[in-house]
Amino acid sequence: LFFVLGCPEERSSLNYETTEFRADRVILLGRYRGPSIIQHHHVLSVVDTLSLTTFSGLSGAPVFAWIELPRQRPKLVLCGMMLRGTPQSGLVHFLDRDVLLDALTVKNQLEQQEK
């Protein structure tokens, strides 16, 4: 079982008069469809689009897997970062977590060199 955790634009609002910002978080459940034709990208089919008309605002949202194995505690695993998708297609494309971890490693190395 996979899921995307984020705040879609259509469920967020900014009230300039009261300077209040509201962002409702949603969980999109999905099933793994396989690797994309683009290297380091993967595709999920969304189980329920929650009546969203667009996935705008979910780009950058984390994609997790919930893994249950016999006689073990369930594990929550970061799988990547959502890039794009539409409720109409029922698909979500996400970037593999290894790319994110590599980017963080490079950033950390550059910061160490600057010190």
Side-chain angles (χ1 to χ4, degrees), residues 4-23:
V4 178
L5 181 65
C7 301
E9 190 175 277
E10 69 186 76
R11 297 218 182 151
S12 301
S13 63
L14 176 60
N15 184 329
Y16 291 100
E17 292 178 16
T18 62
T19 64
E20 289 180 325
F21 175 70
R22 179 182 174 143

Side-chain angles (χ1 to χ4, degrees), residues 29-83:
L29 299 178
R31 301 211 184 284
Y32 187 70
R33 292 274 300 259
S36 170
I37 59 171
I38 302 170
Q39 189 177 13
H40 306 295
H41 290 198
H42 303 272
V43 182
L44 298 178
S45 58
V46 178
V47 174
D48 181 0
T49 63
L50 306 176
S51 300
L52 294 171
T53 59
T54 178
F55 288 160
S56 181
L58 292 174
S59 297
V63 177
F64 296 99
W66 182 259
I67 300 172
E68 293 185 20
L69 299 171
R71 296 185 299 275
Q72 293 183 20
R73 296 182 110 182
K75 291 182 185 178
L76 181 65
V77 178
L78 175 67
C79 296
M81 178 180 73
M82 181 170 161
L83 298 173

